[in-house]
Amino acid sequence: SKATVSVLNCPSPRTPPRTMTSLQLGAHPVRVSFSAGGVTVDLPKGALPPPPAPAAPVVEEKKAEETTEEAKKGGDHVFKVKKDMGELVGSEKQSWNSGGTAGILPAERKKASFDVDRMTEAIYGGKEMVAKRRFVLAPSKKWGLPQLAKYNMDREELMAHHFKDFIGVHKAYTKKGYRPSPEETAWMSACSMNSGSLTTHFGLFLPTLAAQTNSAQQLQWLTRTMKFQIIGAYAQTELGHGSNVRALQTTSTYDPDQGCFILHTPTLQAMKWWNSGVGLASTHCVCYAQLYTQGKCHGVHVFFVQLRDENHEPLPGIEIGDCGNKLGDNGIDCGYIRFSKVKVPREHLLGKKSHVTKDGRYVKHVAEKGADPKAAEKLSYMTMLTARANMIGIAGGKLALAATTAVRYSAVRRQGFTTTDSAQTHHSEERQILDYQMQQFRLMKQAALSYAIQFTSRWMMFRFTQLSKGLWKVGFDEEEDEKKDDGPKDEGTDLPEIHASAAGLKGLCTRLAAEGMEDCRKCCGGHGYLLASGIAASWADYAWQVTAEGDFVVMLLQTARFLMKSLAAARAGEPLSGMMEYLQPFRTAGYSPLTLPALRAGSTAEFASLDFLKALLERRSVVSIYRVDQLLQERQAAGLSKDDAWRACSVSLIAAAERHCIYFMFSKFQQAVTSCEDAACKPVLNRLCTLFALTHVLEGSGWGGILDAEGTAAAEAAVSQVLSELRPDSVALVDAFDMPDRVLNSALGRHDGNVYEELYRHARDHPLNESGPFTGYTEHVKPHLDQKFLGLRGDAPKALKKSMEKMQAKMQPKL
């Protein structure tokens, strides 16, 4: 054998290699060669006995690892970073260990014109709903991590904490049969402190089983799902297909000889992709696939599919994994699945609407005699409406988190002297950045938007409760289900309109919320870029919802299609319902909203009238629908097909859908103002609703012919007026969102205002600040540094002077 041993004192490269052959090891001659690179020892076979096993191999390996790690950092010069670990104390006066901001937010709260608890009740629907929401959020107090610790964790740590905390919090309630309402689910999701795979387990997997299974399947799967005995995922989207569900390529072909379905991924694009919880965690999924039997395709159906066995290994024929790191929300293991002719029991086709017999006949279920013939259609609407209303509610909640942090920080942060004269010094008073009007506008419009979204979501949840009576019996509590069926049935004539509007609202609200969260982050300046700000991480974790369950463009186009259908219905004299009643004038032949005079606002006061603002937003929506209809007719008259004309008008169609959704949201906001019974809260809500509308007057489009130049100027003046009126209530308005510090998880948004203490504490305790130098210093940086100069430390000026003197002495003769 041959071994090369490095030595500390090698011969000089100028010394020729030397060879010694006279060494003996017992009866064996030994050849030793010396060179500049080290020592080479040639030993005959059998010269040495095998080395004994090390007594403590783990310890030795660990020491080697530590030595290597130290060598990477700084060799013998690894050091522990010195820190001031003194106690940081919030106070009203700046000092070595205090930012001096403790008194700012309490002073802001004293300015409020209303009671914060009453406003919280207005947002969430009364004392009972507020108490229920606080009950739902209370278990998160048990989360075992200190504030901000999440931001220093890797994916595996995030996932481990998610499962530990989620199961630890929820299992006791699921054992008791607790069923959260859609509204409660939205609260949980909006205030989630560490989302992960079990969010999908309860948010998509369980509702799909509850809505689309027969009673036998429910008995077999639902209880296990509720008790975490199986972990489920929602496998719909594919690598090459998302919103167009009908085009999914995964196949499930029934084989009567084997009595089962054969689930298969025929192409690369057909693999399941982006499915939350699939990557590492799930044992099962509800899988969407094209159902084939007896040579015929019956379209997309849903199957209950086991993915992993009792050892958590993938079952035969299933390739499964994680998609990789994402922009945010990395506690969720979004994954992929490839099925290679996987057998699925015939009974695992979700059987609410259809089943396949043993011999392969496809049977579509029909309503029982005397049952509501539209129940199946209604159930389909309600399933999608629930998901979309939930996502709308989450959008409002996430934006509320960002607005709370940014408004509080803007009250604490000071920037710029209160006066601009030259007498100012660094001791002079600085202005709160919340007092700058543009900062007020950017933040208060986001607070107003959050209120609008949450009022809209609350109304949709209320309609969901009314319309869903009798549709969601799943066998957990039959007596409770029967109680919910008491009273007259709601015919739900407005259900198609609500469903269509919900599509656009999901698209618009998620987009506006994501954009609003990002602007709130920007309003926090450089500190907002830190994960510890809370907003940056929250935005990154939320951003995917803009495209989830349908990209916002696709969602808005669905709403636009319904708007065009409703306009045609109005012209045909057919009944209209819900918000679509604003198209009633089109029943008159030849009616054109373009012939109406512009709405005039002679003074700022008129823009404080919610009725006037509603008329403005309604007119804009009606005119947009009319104009895009004209555009479609022109394109078709020019020879385009209906589909091509639709594509050619997409920009205008999306604009019309957005304007309809803004009108929808404003109307629900106005209803909330009207129904508010608290005398102090009502005028503040009125101002906030006014700001919501005025924002879309100033920043929106489509006002040509509706609002003249004088009206636009009056709207700008009205914004200034309402901002000055809202300024004393700014902090109280975001306090009313009732977001605990543990949910905000922000150094900037703390309820006590001790921002600078928390920023320093988080930075001081970061793992990178534990020891030095950093990894890679010795190899990549140290060789280039002037070690002699760095070693001078405080004597550098003296050394520089001596160096200059020597240089001058050398140059003098030449000069």
Side-chain angles (χ1 to χ4, degrees):
S1 61
K2 181 177 284 188
T4 300
V5 183
S6 61
V7 295
L8 291 176
N9 297 312
C10 293
S12 166
R14 290 186 291 272
T15 303
R18 295 179 290 123
T19 303
M20 297 176 64
T21 57
S22 60
L23 296 180
Q24 290 286 123
L25 184 60
H28 303 283
V30 179
R31 179 183 172 88
V32 183
S33 299
F34 295 87
S35 68
V39 183
T40 301
V41 183
D42 291 330
L43 299 176
K45 188 175 181 181
L48 291 176
V58 175
V59 174
E60 291 300 321
E61 288 176 13
K62 187 173 182 183
K63 284 182 179 178
E65 288 173 8
E66 289 173 354
T67 303
T68 304
E69 194 60 37
E70 287 183 1
K72 285 182 182 177
K73 286 193 168 189
D76 295 332
H77 300 289
V78 174
F79 58 87
K80 189 170 180 64
V81 175
K82 296 178 181 178
K83 306 180 196 176
D84 182 347
M85 299 303 291
E87 184 180 0
L88 298 171
V89 181
S91 70
E92 296 183 27
K93 187 177 180 180
Q94 291 190 50
S95 68
W96 177 257
N97 281 328
S98 176
T101 60
I104 295 176
L105 292 184
E108 286 285 337
R109 292 178 179 115
K110 289 179 181 178
K111 300 175 185 177
S113 63
F114 60 88
D115 184 285
V116 170
D117 286 338
R118 301 293 81 75
M119 187 64 80
T120 303
E121 291 163 9
I123 296 172
Y124 298 113
K127 286 184 179 180
E128 184 179 338
M129 294 299 284
V130 170
K132 186 181 289 187
R133 179 178 175 276
R134 288 175 178 170
F135 164 78
V136 166
L137 300 186
S140 65
K141 293 177 183 177
K142 299 177 182 177
W143 200 37
L145 286 174
Q147 284 284 96
L148 310 184
K150 168 184 173 181
Y151 304 132
N152 295 334
M153 295 167 64
D154 60 28
R155 287 192 65 192
E156 289 188 287
E157 289 176 301
L158 287 171
M159 289 184 63
H161 275 282
H162 166 74
F163 282 103
K164 172 181 173 289
D165 296 325
F166 194 104
I167 295 175
V169 164
H170 291 81
K171 192 163 187 177
Y173 295 96
T174 58
K175 279 183 176 180
K176 298 174 183 176
Y178 168 67
R179 286 181 289 166
S181 67
E183 200 159 35
E184 290 167 346
T185 303
W187 291 335
M188 293 178 192
S189 299
C191 297
S192 172
M193 295 162 61
N194 185 23
S195 60
S197 305
L198 292 174
T199 307
T200 304
H201 174 79
F202 279 109
L204 289 172
F205 180 73
L206 177 61
T208 302
L209 291 181
Q212 300 195 42
T213 52
N214 57 40
S215 56
Q217 291 171 334
Q218 288 173 2
L219 288 172
Q220 187 177 3
W221 300 328
L222 287 182
T223 301
R224 289 185 170 88
T225 302
M226 293 290 289
K227 292 182 177 180
F228 303 99
Q229 293 173 343
I230 59 174
I231 304 298
Y234 185 80
Q236 183 189 94
T237 55
E238 298 175 349
L239 183 60
H241 292 88
S243 301
N244 190 7
V245 177
R246 287 190 298 170
L248 294 178
Q249 296 179 0
T250 304
T251 61
S252 185
T253 305
Y254 183 69
D255 183 345
D257 295 332
Q258 299 187 70
C260 65
F261 289 98
I262 306 300
L263 190 62
H264 189 59
T265 303
T267 69
L268 188 69
Q269 286 194 30
M271 76 167 75
K272 292 300 177 183
W273 187 265
W274 270 130
N275 309 145
S276 298
V278 156
L280 301 170
S282 296
T283 62
H284 293 74
C285 73
V286 284
C287 180
Y288 284 67
Q290 302 285 353
L291 190 157
Y292 283 85
T293 184
Q294 295 182 340
K296 182 179 179 182
C297 179
H298 294 273
V300 175
H301 285 64
V302 190
F303 298 83
F304 180 83
V305 180
Q306 183 172 350
L307 301 174
R308 293 178 169 95
D309 64 15
E310 68 277 12
N311 297 313
H312 213 65
E313 291 187 27
L315 295 184
I318 296 178
E319 179 190 340
I320 191 167
D322 187 85
C323 289
N325 289 354
K326 307 180 290 294
L327 174 68
D329 222 9
N330 280 301
I332 298 181
D333 52 320
C334 297
Y336 65 87
I337 318 172
R338 301 179 82 179
F339 298 105
S340 179
K341 299 179 180 178
V342 175
K343 295 180 181 180
V344 177
R346 180 177 63 89
E347 296 83 2
H348 284 197
L349 165 65
L350 301 198
K352 182 81 172 183
K353 299 177 183 178
S354 61
H355 72 274
V356 172
T357 63
K358 289 182 179 180
D359 59 0
R361 279 188 310 110
Y362 177 80
V363 180
K364 188 172 182 179
H365 300 167
V366 297
E368 297 178 4
K369 190 175 181 180
D372 181 0
K374 295 184 178 180
E377 180 185 10
K378 192 175 178 182
L379 180 61
S380 178
Y381 273 138
M382 292 306 299
T383 302
M384 287 183 280
L385 178 60
T386 306
R388 288 170 182 170
N390 189 282
M391 296 186 81
I392 294 167
I394 294 170
K398 291 297 185 184
L399 183 56
L401 289 169
T404 299
T405 294
V407 169
R408 287 177 179 172
Y409 176 68
S410 295
V412 169
R413 180 74 169 182
R414 293 181 180 273
Q415 189 77 31
F417 297 124
T418 55
T419 60
T420 57
D421 61 73
S422 59
Q424 303 300 311
T425 72
H426 66 283
H427 292 297
S428 299
E429 184 180 1
E430 292 188 88
R431 191 182 302 278
Q432 292 170 276
I433 62 173
L434 190 56
D435 286 337
Y436 292 99
Q437 190 185 73
M438 195 60 197
Q439 186 82 347
Q440 290 176 36
F441 179 58
R442 290 171 69 185
L443 293 178
M444 295 316 296
K445 75 177 182 183
Q446 301 303 343
L449 175 60
S450 179
Y451 273 75
I453 293 174
Q454 296 200 66
F455 287 138
T456 300
S457 172
R458 200 180 86 196
W459 181 86
M460 293 182 75
M461 296 291 187
F462 173 74
R463 284 297 289 144
F464 167 84
T465 302
Q466 290 180 313
L467 295 167
S468 62
K469 290 179 178 179
L471 290 177
W472 300 93
K473 294 182 184 180
V474 294
F476 287 121
D477 191 339
E478 294 184 5
E479 290 185 9
E480 187 64 25
D481 286 330
E482 291 302 324
K483 288 178 185 177
K484 291 180 180 178
D485 281 348
D486 290 344
K489 295 289 184 183
D490 190 321
E491 295 299 325
T493 56
D494 60 343
L495 183 55
E497 184 268 327
I498 297 171
H499 173 259
S501 294
L505 285 165
K506 181 271 168 189
L508 183 63
C509 291
T510 53
R511 193 194 82 203
L512 291 179
E515 292 172 352
M517 292 169 75
E518 170 63 1
D519 204 39
C520 285
R521 184 195 66 77
K522 291 175 182 175
C523 284
C524 295
H527 292 329
Y529 196 63
L530 287 167
L531 289 181
S533 72
I535 304 180
S538 184
W539 173 82
D541 288 347
Y542 176 75
W544 63 271
Q545 297 212 27
V546 180
T547 50
E549 305 305 316
D551 178 76
F552 78 93
V553 170
V554 176
M555 295 288 97
L556 286 165
L557 285 173
Q558 284 187 23
T559 300
R561 194 173 295 279
F562 183 80
L563 295 177
M564 296 300 102
K565 182 179 177 182
S566 297
L567 178 61
R571 285 173 171 161
E574 296 174 8
L576 301 170
S577 62
M579 302 295 291
M580 291 297 97
E581 290 182 356
Y582 68 11
L583 298 178
Q584 292 285 5
F586 287 98
R587 293 181 184 280
T588 303
Y591 173 77
S592 170
L594 302 183
T595 61
L596 299 174
L599 292 167
R600 298 187 62 83
S603 68
T604 302
E606 289 186 67
F607 276 101
S609 166
L610 297 187
D611 288 337
F612 176 74
L613 291 168
K614 183 177 182 181
L616 267 180
L617 294 171
E618 181 181 307
R619 174 80 70 85
R620 183 178 70 152
S621 185
V622 170
V623 168
S624 297
I625 293 169
Y626 176 77
R627 281 178 169 160
V628 74
D629 179 69
Q630 283 187 313
L631 201 57
L632 284 166
Q633 291 183 40
E634 289 171 8
R635 293 289 188 272
Q636 288 180 264
L640 291 181
S641 67
K642 189 174 181 180
D643 286 342
D644 287 341
W646 183 268
R647 283 191 290 273
C649 297
S650 294
V651 172
S652 298
L653 285 163
I654 287 173
E658 282 190 3
R659 291 161 191 169
H660 167 78
C661 290
I662 294 298
Y663 172 68
F664 190 108
M665 292 165 67
F666 177 85
S667 68
K668 303 314 171 193
F669 202 152
Q670 186 184 23
Q671 286 179 20
V673 174
T674 303
S675 62
C676 180
E677 298 178 353
D678 187 271
C681 290
K682 193 164 190 171
V684 181
L685 280 175
N686 194 308
R687 293 181 197 118
L688 209 57
C689 187
T690 299
L691 180 61
F692 171 76
L694 288 173
T695 297
H696 294 282
V697 172
L698 293 188
E699 297 185 337
S701 57
W703 295 109
I706 300 172
L707 194 64
D708 57 21
E710 290 182 10
T712 303
E716 290 179 357
V719 167
S720 296
Q721 179 65 31
V722 76
L723 285 174
S724 65
E725 293 172 352
L726 286 171
R727 173 59 187 90
D729 292 315
S730 298
V731 170
L733 279 167
V734 296
D735 281 352
F737 288 133
D738 198 33
M739 297 295 183
D741 278 356
R742 66 181 184 278
V743 173
L744 285 176
N745 206 18
S746 167
L748 305 185
R750 293 172 58 94
H751 188 272
D752 61 14
N754 294 327
V755 169
Y756 299 113
E757 293 85 352
E758 194 62 30
L759 281 171
Y760 170 61
R761 181 185 292 109
H762 179 66
R764 182 190 66 189
D765 297 342
H766 193 280
L768 280 178
N769 296 327
E770 290 303 313
S771 64
F774 57 89
T775 300
Y777 165 80
T778 302
E779 184 179 0
H780 303 298
V781 179
K782 188 176 179 179
H784 306 286
L785 296 178
D786 186 338
Q787 300 289 331
K788 189 173 181 180
F789 179 77
L790 291 172
L792 295 174
R793 303 179 188 180
D795 292 330
K798 293 179 182 178
L800 179 61
K801 185 179 180 180
K802 288 181 180 179
S803 177
M804 291 297 293
E805 289 173 352
K806 287 181 180 179
M807 187 180 298
Q808 288 174 357
K810 287 181 180 179
M811 295 295 292
Q812 192 63 38
K814 295 181 180 180
L815 291 172

